Amino acid sequence: MKQYLTVDEWSIIEEGFHAEYNQITESVFSLGNGRMGQRANFEETFTGETLQGNYVAGVYYPDKTRVGWWKNGYPEYFAKVLNAANWIGIDVQLDGETLDLHLCQVTDFRRELNMREGWLDRRFTATLPSGKQMRVESRRFTSIVDYEVGAIRYSLTPLNFSGTLTFTPFVDADIKNADSNYDEKFWNEILQEAQPTEGYVVAETKKTFFHVCTGQRFVVTQNGQEVNVQATPVERTKYIASTFDIAVQEGQETVLYKYAANLSSENHPKENLLANTKKVINAATAKGFEQLLQEQAAAWAAKWEESDIVIEGDATAQQGIRFNIFQLNQTYTGEDERLNIGPKGFTGEKYGGTTYWDTEAYCLPFYLATADPQIARNLLIYRYKHLQKAIENAEKLGFTGGAALYPMVTMNGEECHNEWEITFEEIHRNGAIAHAIHDYIRYTGDDSYLGEYGIEVLVGISRFWAQRVNWSQAKNKYVMLGVTGPNEYENNVNNNWYTSTIATWTLEYTLKALQHVQQTNPGRYQELVSKLNLNEEKEMGQWQHVIDNMFYAEDHELGIFLQQDGFLDKEQTLVKDLPAEDRPLNQKWSWDRILRSVFIKQADVLQGIYLFEDRYDLDTIRRNYDFYEPRTVHESSLSPCVHSILAAKLGDEERAYEFYLRTARLDLDDYNNDTEDGCHITSMAGTWMSVVQGFGGMRVRNNQLFFNPFIPAGWSSYSFKIRFRGHLLTIKVTREQVQIENHADKAITLNVFDQPQTIEANAKAALAHQNA
Ligand code: BGC
C-alpha cells in the first residue's frame, strides 16, 4: 500500500515527483472519454520508467496465442487492446539540450488530475545538466464534448537564461504493445502527411485492418500573442512532426497549443478518414484551447450532476468514490452498443479483450441506476449478438444442440483466453450473463426483453449447464466436475458451490421466463420453441430433474456451504496469520503453494450469497461470511466490494467501511501492488455498489425500491442519485435522517427500513433513522 497522493475531494494530486511510482501515477491520472484514452505520460521525452499508452475504443489486434503446450479447444489468438499512436508528444530542447525529467533536477513538481472539470495538469521547475533552469506548466484533456479531440497547453519559461527553444510536436504511430506475444508491432503505415503546422498519420492494424488517423495541429504564443514560427515538417515511418526554433528570453513564457484528433474506421469510412480528421482538427483549432476547456468543464459538471456521490466529513472516502465514478464515466458512455467495459479501460494493456463477466456481475447495476435504461439494455444486447459465437465456442469443447458457453474474455464474441483452467473451466461466467437478464428486468420492469432477446440467451446457457453436469451413481445426484469458481486460486475442483448454484438458478429462471412468455405472448413463445428447436417435455423436463437433484457441497456441522468438495481437507490457516512479506500471495508464492492453500482470491461462496441473498437467513449468511472472509486475501479487485455489501447487511458497519475504503482507494493507494498495469475499472462499479447497496442498503423487490441505510462513523452525511422506472431520486443519509427527494412528475412508493413510503411528485420526505 502506498499513500503518496494528496487527499482532496475533487482532485488527485502528486506533490513532488515520485519517479519510483511513475507508472502507477501514469495509470491513476489517465484520461479518457469512452472513445479514446491515454495514460498520464509526459509530453516531452522521458527516459525513466514509463509505460507509454494510448488506446482507441474498439480497435484491437488478435495476437497469436502463445502457450507452452497446446490443448484442443484453445483459441487461436488473444485479442489485445491496442496501444495506438502517441498524440501527446512534444520534444523540447534548449540550446540543443533535451528536456528529460529523468536526466535533470526537478523541483516544485505537481501533477493534478482534476475530476470536477476533467483535465490533467503538470507543473515543475527543471534544471538541465548545463544548469539552465525553466518552469514548465502543461494542461491537457481528452474532450467529452468532441469525442475525437484531445488538446494540450504546454508552457515554458526560462528562469536563468535566454536562448533558443526547439519545440517538436509529433504524432508517433510506430508503437509496440508491451505485452506483444511475438515482439511484433501491430500497426502498418497507410499514409502520412506533414506540413509546417499540422500533420497526420493513418495506420492500419495487421490482421484486423482497422484504420486510425491521428492528426495534430499547433499554435504558438509569446506574451499572449500568436507567433508565426518557421516550422520544418519531418516524416519517418509511421511518424510525423514539425520542428521549429524560437528565441526565448529569461522570464518570458512561450506556449505551444497542440490540438490532436484520433478517428477510427469504426466510425468513419476508411476513404474519408484523413479528410474527416482534418475537419475535426480544424474545428478544434478554431474553437481554441480555452473554449474547448470550458466546454469540457461544463460537460463534466453535467455528468457529476447525474452521477456524483457526495460524502461529508471524510475527504479520503470522498476522493475515493469520485475517482471511481470519474474513471467509469471516462471508460464507457453506453452510446455505442459495439463497445463494452474493459477491466483496465484506457489505462493499461493488461487483460487484453474488453469484455469479462465483470460487466454483468459488477458494472450493470451502476449503469442500471445512473443511466438511461437503454444503456443497460445495450450491454445485454451486446451478449445477445454474440450468442452464435457462444454456441460455436461450446461446440469446440464438445457440447451440442445449441448449448452456449460465453467467453471468459472477448472482443467480438470469440473466446480469446487461453489458460485451460480458466478458458474451459471458469464457466460460472455463463451464469452471470443469465443473471444480468434477471437483474435488468427486475430493475427496469422491461419484461418484453425476454421474448425479444432474453429467452434465446437463457436457453443457450441452460442447455450448456444441463450438459455440463453428470449423474453420479455414488452420490445419487448430479455433480459438476472440473471447474474453476470465481476464486481463481483453486482450479479443476469438483462441485464448486457457486457454479452449481448459479447453474441451477439459471435453469429455474429459464423455465420461469419461458412460462412467462408463453402466458403473455403465446405467439412469440411458439416462434421461439420452433426457432430454438426446444423439446418442452424432454429438454425442459431434464432441466427440472437437474434442479431437483443437484449436489451442493455443504458442511452441516459448521453450517456452511463448501466452496468445493474437500475444502475442509485443506490446512485451515487464516489470512491474519500470514506474514506481511508474503503478500500479495500471487507475487510471492509459487502457484502450487497457492493452489493447495486455503487462501481465497475473491468472493466465491460469498459471491453466490450476495447474488441470491433472499434465499438465506441472516444466520446462514453470517456463518458463511465468518468462515470465508478470514480466509480471503482479496487479491482480485472485485473482492472487497462484495464483502463490504455483505458486512453492511450483517450490521458490521466497521468492516463494511473498511472494505469500502479498500475498494474505493484500491488504485489510489495501490493496495494490490499492481496499479502500474492500469486501473481496475470494472471493480470501480463495485465501489459504487458498496455505497448504494452496502451503506444505502438499496434492493429491488416486487417492483419496488427498498432502502435500509446506515451511515459510517465519522461521516456527517452521504447522498447519491438513482434513476428508477422514470423517476430520478436523491437519497441523502445524515446522522439523524434519511431524506429522499423525488425529482419526477409522478409519485413513487418505496420502502425505507421496510416501511412503505409514498413520496409525491417533486417532493421530499425525511425519515428518522430506525435506531436514532
Ligand atoms: C479476476 C476475475 C476477473 C478478471 C478481470 C481476475 O483477476 O479473478 O474474476 O474477471 O480479473 O477483472
Side-chain angles (χ1 to χ4, degrees), residues 336-510:
D336 185 340
E337 63 180 44
R338 295 165 303 174
L339 302 177
N340 210 282
I341 310 150
K344 300 277 168 204
F346 300 114
T347 69
E349 291 168 24
K350 201 176 168 198
Y351 286 121
T354 49
T355 316
Y356 285 64
W357 73 302
D358 306 28
T359 294
E360 284 77 16
Y362 291 85
C363 301
L364 186 73
F366 171 77
Y367 291 104
L368 272 173
T370 61
D372 189 282
Q374 187 58 39
I375 288 178
R377 201 176 152 101
N378 276 350
L379 284 174
L380 263 49
I381 291 176
Y382 174 95
R383 293 292 196 177
Y384 173 79
K385 289 189 176 156
H386 290 174
L387 177 59
Q388 189 49 38
K389 291 264 167 62
I391 292 173
E392 287 162 21
N393 185 32
E395 278 168 359
K396 270 196 213 157
L397 308 193
F399 295 85
T400 56
L405 175 60
Y406 277 91
M408 185 67 188
V409 181
T410 193
M411 273 288 186
N412 59 5
E414 288 168 4
E415 176 64 85
C416 56
H417 197 285
N418 50 42
E419 281 171 297
W420 64 269
E421 56 278 37
I422 292 179
T423 315
F424 307 145
E425 299 204 332
E426 202 175 336
I427 50 180
H428 67 80
R429 62 203 185 229
N430 241 12
I433 290 161
H435 191 266
I437 296 173
H438 164 74
D439 215 12
Y440 167 78
I441 294 172
R442 176 174 59 182
Y443 198 90
T444 60
D446 174 16
D447 56 6
S448 68
Y449 186 81
L450 284 178
E452 263 179 89
Y453 302 105
I455 289 291
E456 291 178 57
V457 171
L458 289 171
V459 166
I461 295 177
S462 288
R463 285 176 163 161
F464 173 81
W465 289 131
Q467 291 175 40
R468 188 58 170 76
V469 296
N470 66 276
W471 183 255
S472 155
Q473 291 291 353
K475 287 196 162 71
N476 209 24
K477 291 269 183 198
Y478 286 100
V479 290
M480 198 173 334
L481 308 181
V483 301
T484 297
N487 168 23
E488 292 176 345
Y489 289 178
E490 299 276 358
N491 298 149
N492 202 32
V493 300
N494 294 337
N495 298 313
N496 168 262
W497 181 84
Y498 174 74
T499 310
S500 301
T501 300
I502 204 158
T504 50
W505 174 87
T506 310
L507 295 173
E508 272 176 53
Y509 182 59
T510 307

Side-chain angles (χ1 to χ4, degrees), residues 455 459 510-518 525 534 540 543:
I455 289 291
V459 166
T510 307
L511 290 176
K512 273 194 219 140
L514 280 163
Q515 202 180 33
H516 179 81
V517 177
Q518 189 178 28
Y525 177 77
L534 189 66
M540 287 156 68
W543 296 351

Side-chain angles (χ1 to χ4, degrees), residues 510-736:
T510 307
L511 290 176
K512 273 194 219 140
L514 280 163
Q515 202 180 33
H516 179 81
V517 177
Q518 189 178 28
Q519 283 163 0
T520 53
N521 193 348
R524 178 65 185 148
Y525 177 77
Q526 277 317 321
E527 264 171 42
L528 284 166
V529 168
S530 72
K531 179 174 179 189
L532 298 172
N533 210 0
L534 189 66
N535 183 326
E536 289 164 275
E537 216 170 294
K538 205 167 148 232
E539 198 167 14
M540 287 156 68
Q542 198 236 337
W543 296 351
Q544 190 59 51
H545 199 251
V546 176
I547 297 167
D548 295 339
N549 295 284
M550 188 71 184
F551 171 78
Y552 303 98
E554 282 181 52
D555 186 84
H556 295 289
E557 220 166 281
L558 293 172
I560 58 167
F561 306 119
L562 282 185
Q563 190 176 274
Q564 73 246 7
D565 284 358
F567 188 79
L568 293 177
D569 294 339
K570 287 171 178 274
E571 192 186 343
Q572 297 295 322
T573 44
L574 301 182
V575 176
K576 70 174 172 49
D577 300 322
L578 276 171
E581 61 273 18
D582 283 17
R583 310 279 305 275
L585 297 185
N586 63 17
Q587 292 171 21
K588 302 292 173 61
W589 280 15
S590 73
W591 192 237
D592 162 69
R593 191 169 174 199
I594 290 178
L595 287 179
R596 284 184 292 107
S597 83
V598 77
F599 298 114
I600 301 169
K601 182 181 183 188
Q602 67 201 88
D604 193 301
V605 166
L606 296 183
Q607 182 80 25
I609 289 187
Y610 160 68
L611 284 184
F612 305 119
E613 63 170 10
D614 289 342
R615 292 178 169 188
Y616 311 109
D617 59 35
L618 265 190
D619 284 343
T620 308
I621 300 178
R622 181 167 288 112
R623 279 195 306 274
N624 281 281
Y625 182 88
D626 288 348
F627 181 81
Y628 285 108
E629 197 290 317
R631 290 161 174 78
T632 305
V633 285
H634 305 290
E635 288 179 13
S636 159
S637 63
L638 301 176
S639 192
C641 57
V642 173
H643 288 82
S644 174
I645 297 167
L646 287 178
K649 185 174 172 78
L650 292 171
D652 187 346
E653 300 180 0
E654 224 170 277
R655 301 241 53 209
Y657 176 73
E658 203 180 302
F659 282 123
Y660 161 76
L661 218 50
R662 183 157 175 176
T663 175
R665 299 193 59 88
L666 185 95
D667 290 314
L668 292 179
D669 296 340
D670 193 22
Y671 263 96
N672 286 346
N673 206 23
D674 60 359
T675 299
E676 63 182 27
D677 299 331
C679 294
H680 300 82
I681 300 294
T682 45
S683 81
M684 293 183 178
T687 305
W688 177 91
M689 295 196 311
S690 57
V691 174
V692 173
Q693 300 178 359
F695 305 157
M698 184 178 97
R699 302 288 188 276
V700 179
R701 293 191 194 102
N702 305 324
N703 297 307
Q704 285 190 351
L705 282 169
F706 284 70
F707 295 95
N708 255 305
F710 80 89
I711 178 161
W715 291 14
S716 35
S717 77
Y718 66 98
S719 68
F720 55 89
K721 286 204 168 83
I722 52 155
R723 299 186 187 209
F724 184 72
R725 303 193 182 188
H727 293 90
L728 177 67
L729 304 170
T730 304
I731 320 297
K732 180 164 182 173
V733 183
T734 68
R735 301 219 68 79
E736 297 76 35

